[in-house]
């Protein structure tokens, strides 16, 4: 077994910098992609299904890439780095192209490619962090990762808020709704382009920093001999099916901790996907007063515009006002999401000594309850800045959710299967998201009154359930013994 040296602060910092770019991309997906779908004509009940790309690509790509990277080694390129470098290059190209989407189908297709690229980068990167760190530094390393997760999503969201304020084009009074003098809601506002261009630069730039600054630990002599023999003797068919067999076997031998975590993740990630899809529609209703009837009237005006019909001055002013309020709702989402991720960035490392003092379990349970309280309170707050208070709670929760579970899992999985097990953790994330995309559209339409406010309240109660389930985890302060009983 290879003895891993303890790393310095700056070595752990450089190793995690690439998460900034990956999470900038995810931040744009969380905040801007669903409003872009709405700009291009999508309705509330269609949003969950339009987000199917994330769950499907995550389910298929991360565990497969993880299993492949476990059995890969290049003296020149390493084990994990080629995968997250390729993913970053493709993601950067997608981010650059995304705001040029002129049709809904094109934007949805790009989302599939973008999600595939981000998932190709994400899983080997998480395994890379685990590969490099000794057990006593795992919590610190994954919380540093959480810091960069928060920083990337923070900048992505604040860029949307600031660019809308700086570059939004006001409607010209008296201009025709169908003329080039005014942006209509079925076109992506120009200020959104700049955030995506910034994301494209961040994605490839930060990954390159980590790739160039952080060497990988070579495999042991035993691992290296196995990899050489496998590459020499295994047939193409064997190599093709081997990752699937590896995933199946790993699931069968999954530690007890991961089985319990799967139940918690079902509610946690189902709820988070609801939040990301419906926070902007909620704000359109709760903060800016746009009703479903207003949206239907607006859609009818836009359809008339597309068919060349003459639009009255009253309808023109109404549509332009809805457009302006919708852009402000997107900008407010950017401010709110940026705030909670800024809090994540600040508290991520503060949680490390707290977790050591009170146990990872208690920190994680507390994070789930805080997030539930935040979401249940949001629909009842209409002030722009008062809405930032629940974002503080959500930021603390997000900091724990993005670091603590990975540190817990990393201590109970075998070193030689770290890649495949980190991929399985991602399966535990994307399966609830997949269930949400297939089920929540009918739920919000037929059970929740097609009301985005009710959707966010539902997400809050699901987080409370996740917190109750997390109480089943075993946890002790200074948790070196916590994991021995859960393997």
């Amino acid at each position: 077994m290879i003895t891993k040296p303890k790393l310095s602060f700056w070595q752990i910092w450089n190793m995690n910098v690439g998460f900034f770019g990956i999470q900038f991309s995810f931040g744009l997906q969380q905040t801007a992609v669903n409003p872009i779908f709405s700009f291009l004509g999508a309705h509330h009940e269609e949003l969950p299904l339009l987000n199917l790309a994330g769950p499907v690509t995550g389910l298929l790509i991360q565990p497969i890439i993880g299993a492949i990277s476990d059995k890969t080694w290049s003296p020149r390129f390493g084990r994990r780095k080629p995968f997250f470098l390729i993913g970053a290059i493709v993601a950067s190209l997608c981010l650059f192209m995304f705001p040029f989407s002129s049709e809904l189908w094109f934007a949805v297709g790009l989302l599939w490619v973008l999600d595939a690229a981000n998932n190709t980068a994400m899983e080997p990167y998480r395994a890379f962090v685990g590969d490099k760190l000794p057990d006593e530094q795992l919590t610190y390393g994954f919380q540093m990762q959480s810091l960069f997760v928060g920083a990337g999503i923070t900048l992505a969201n604040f860029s949307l808020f600031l660019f809308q304020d700086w570059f939004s084009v006001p409607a010209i009074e008296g201009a025709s709704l169908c003329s080039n003098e005014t942006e209509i809601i079925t076109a992506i506002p120009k200020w959104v382009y700049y955030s995506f261009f910034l994301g494209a630069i961040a994605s490839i730039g930060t990954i390159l920093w980590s790739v160039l600054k952080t060497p990988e630990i070579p495999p042991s002599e035993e691992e290296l001999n196995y990899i050489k023999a496998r590459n020499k003797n295994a047939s193409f068919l064997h190599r093709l099916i081997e990752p699937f067999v590896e995933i199946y076997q790993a699931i069968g031998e999954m530690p007890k901790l991961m089985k319990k975590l799967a139940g918690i993740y079902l509610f946690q990630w189902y709820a988070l996907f609801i939040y990301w899809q419906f926070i902007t529609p909620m704000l359109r209703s709760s903060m800016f007063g746009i009703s479903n009837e207003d949206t239907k009237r607006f859609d009818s005006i836009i359809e008339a515009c597309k068919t060349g019909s003459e639009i009255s001055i009253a309808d023109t002013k109404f549509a332009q006002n809805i457009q302006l309020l919708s852009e402000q709702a997107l900008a407010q989402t950017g401010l709110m999401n940026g705030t909670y991720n800024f809090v994540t960035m600040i508290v991520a490392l503060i949680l490390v000594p707290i977790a050591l003092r009170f146990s990872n379990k208690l920190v994680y349970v507390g994070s789930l309850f805080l997030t539930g309280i935040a979401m249940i309170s949001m629909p009842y707050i209409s002030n722009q800045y008062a809405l930032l208070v629940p974002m503080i709670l959500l930021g603390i929760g997000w900091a724990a959710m993005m670091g603590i579970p990975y540190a817990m899992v990393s201590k109970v999985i075998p070193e030689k299967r770290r890649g495949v097990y980190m991929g399985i953790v991602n399966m535990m994330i994307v399966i609830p998201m997949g269930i949400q995309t297939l089920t929540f559209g009918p739920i919000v339409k037929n059970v929740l009154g097609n009301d985005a406010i009710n959707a966010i309240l539902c997400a809050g109660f699901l987080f409370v359930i996740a917190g109750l389930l997390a109480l089943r985890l075993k946890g002790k302060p200074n948790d070196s013994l916590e994991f021995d009983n859960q393997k």
Side-chain angles (χ1 to χ4, degrees):
M1 182 177 178
I2 297 173
T3 301
K4 301 177 186 178
K6 291 188 71 171
L7 301 186
S8 69
F9 172 87
W10 289 113
Q11 286 175 314
I12 297 175
W13 175 280
N14 288 331
M15 178 173 62
N16 281 286
V17 164
F19 276 102
F20 178 92
I22 294 174
Q23 293 303 319
F24 196 112
S25 175
F26 276 120
L28 291 175
Q29 286 181 242
Q30 290 173 12
T31 302
V33 165
N34 284 295
I36 284 175
F37 289 164
S38 296
F39 286 142
L40 296 174
H43 299 290
H44 286 178
E45 67 273 14
E46 297 172 328
L47 291 179
L49 197 57
L50 293 176
N51 282 268
L52 191 60
V56 172
T57 56
L59 181 64
L60 295 177
I61 290 176
Q62 285 212 26
I64 293 173
I65 293 294
I68 293 173
S69 69
D70 280 342
K71 295 177 174 59
T72 298
W73 175 253
S74 165
R76 182 177 180 184
F77 299 107
R79 167 178 283 176
R80 317 287 187 187
K81 291 196 287 189
F83 295 96
F84 53 79
L85 182 58
I86 292 169
I89 293 171
V90 177
S92 293
L93 293 174
C94 289
L95 288 170
F96 183 82
M97 294 171 62
F98 208 100
F100 293 100
S101 302
S102 58
E103 298 289 343
L104 181 60
W105 66 266
F106 186 81
V108 172
L110 268 181
L111 180 61
W112 278 83
V113 181
L114 177 61
D115 263 316
N118 279 328
N119 280 296
T120 298
M122 179 61 74
E123 191 287 326
Y125 208 153
R126 293 199 194 280
F128 175 62
V129 173
D131 289 344
K132 291 284 292 182
L133 294 171
D135 280 358
E136 61 268 26
Q137 286 191 303
L138 282 172
T139 298
Y140 186 67
F142 280 107
Q143 285 305 113
M144 180 73 80
Q145 169 188 302
S146 186
L147 182 150
F148 280 105
V149 167
I153 303 178
T154 296
L155 187 56
N157 283 284
F158 281 162
S159 73
L160 290 167
F161 175 75
L162 293 173
F163 291 162
Q164 191 273 338
D165 183 59
W166 296 342
F167 304 117
S168 179
V169 179
I172 300 174
E173 187 172 353
S176 168
L177 185 65
C178 305
S179 75
N180 293 326
E181 297 177 84
T182 181
E183 292 181 332
I184 62 172
I185 205 166
T186 50
I188 299 171
K190 291 295 185 289
W191 53 268
V192 174
Y193 286 48
Y194 308 140
S195 290
F196 277 83
F197 295 162
L198 187 61
I201 296 169
S203 180
I204 186 62
T206 58
I207 286 288
L208 277 174
W209 179 278
S210 290
V211 166
L212 297 175
K213 289 284 187 179
T214 309
E216 293 199 61
I217 296 177
S220 65
E221 193 67 29
E222 180 184 356
E223 285 182 291
L224 199 57
N225 291 335
Y226 171 79
I227 291 170
K228 288 180 179 178
R230 171 186 173 274
N231 291 340
K232 181 179 180 180
N233 301 323
S235 65
F236 173 77
L237 180 61
H238 177 79
R239 293 188 191 183
L240 185 66
I241 65 173
E242 185 181 35
F244 298 95
V245 174
E246 178 75 10
I247 293 166
Y248 177 79
Q249 291 175 341
I251 291 173
E253 300 166 8
M254 195 162 61
K256 292 179 182 178
L257 174 74
M258 291 182 65
K259 293 176 182 178
K260 292 180 179 179
L261 195 63
I264 300 165
Y265 270 20
L266 174 62
F267 293 94
Q268 172 185 316
W269 288 100
Y270 193 108
L272 278 168
F273 227 37
I274 294 173
Y275 170 80
W276 291 327
Q277 291 166 9
F278 285 91
I279 182 60
T280 301
M282 185 209 79
L283 292 172
R284 281 163 53 95
S285 177
S286 65
M287 186 173 176
F288 295 98
I290 301 175
S291 65
N292 288 339
E293 288 71 25
D294 291 334
T295 302
K296 290 177 182 177
R297 180 184 172 189
F298 179 83
D299 289 341
S300 66
I301 295 171
I302 296 302
E303 286 302 316
C305 179
K306 288 180 178 179
T307 59
S309 301
E310 186 175 343
I311 309 299
S312 69
I313 294 176
D315 282 347
T316 297
K317 288 183 177 180
F318 174 83
Q320 289 174 341
N321 184 55
I322 294 295
Q323 174 199 354
L324 178 62
L325 294 176
S326 297
E327 290 190 19
Q328 289 174 352
L330 171 55
Q332 176 66 20
T333 301
L335 176 63
M336 291 167 62
N337 286 355
T339 298
Y340 89 70
N341 283 284
F342 180 75
V343 173
T344 293
M345 183 175 61
I346 297 300
V347 306
L349 297 184
I350 297 174
L351 291 179
V352 175
I354 297 175
L356 291 174
R357 174 68 178 85
F358 296 103
S359 85
N360 283 327
K361 169 194 168 179
L362 289 182
V363 172
Y364 183 43
V365 169
S367 76
L368 295 171
F369 284 129
L370 286 177
T371 305
I373 293 169
M375 292 193 182
I376 291 170
S377 66
M378 284 178 207
Y380 302 103
I381 304 172
S382 57
N383 180 272
Q384 177 183 17
Y385 298 106
L387 273 166
L388 302 184
V389 175
M391 292 299 101
I392 295 173
L393 302 182
L394 179 54
I396 297 170
W398 185 239
M401 285 184 275
M402 291 304 293
I404 296 294
Y406 293 101
M408 295 169 74
V409 168
S410 196
K411 293 180 180 181
V412 301
I413 57 178
E415 186 76 28
K416 64 181 181 180
R417 301 174 89 175
R418 186 178 301 278
V420 67
Y421 271 116
M422 285 297 180
I424 291 171
V425 171
N426 190 70
M427 289 173 66
M428 290 155 48
I429 294 172
V430 299
I431 288 175
M433 289 182 173
I435 295 171
Q436 191 271 350
T437 62
L438 296 174
T439 62
F440 199 69
I443 290 173
V444 76
K445 183 178 181 180
N446 301 312
V447 179
L448 301 179
N450 205 20
D451 190 334
I453 291 176
N454 290 336
I456 296 297
L457 290 173
C458 177
F461 286 114
L462 291 176
F463 261 106
V464 173
I465 295 173
L468 293 173
L469 290 175
L471 292 171
R472 298 167 57 243
L473 296 173
K474 294 180 180 179
K476 299 176 183 178
N478 233 349
D479 55 18
S480 58
L481 298 177
E482 172 184 347
F483 306 98
D484 294 336
N485 298 322
Q486 303 197 49
K487 293 184 179 181

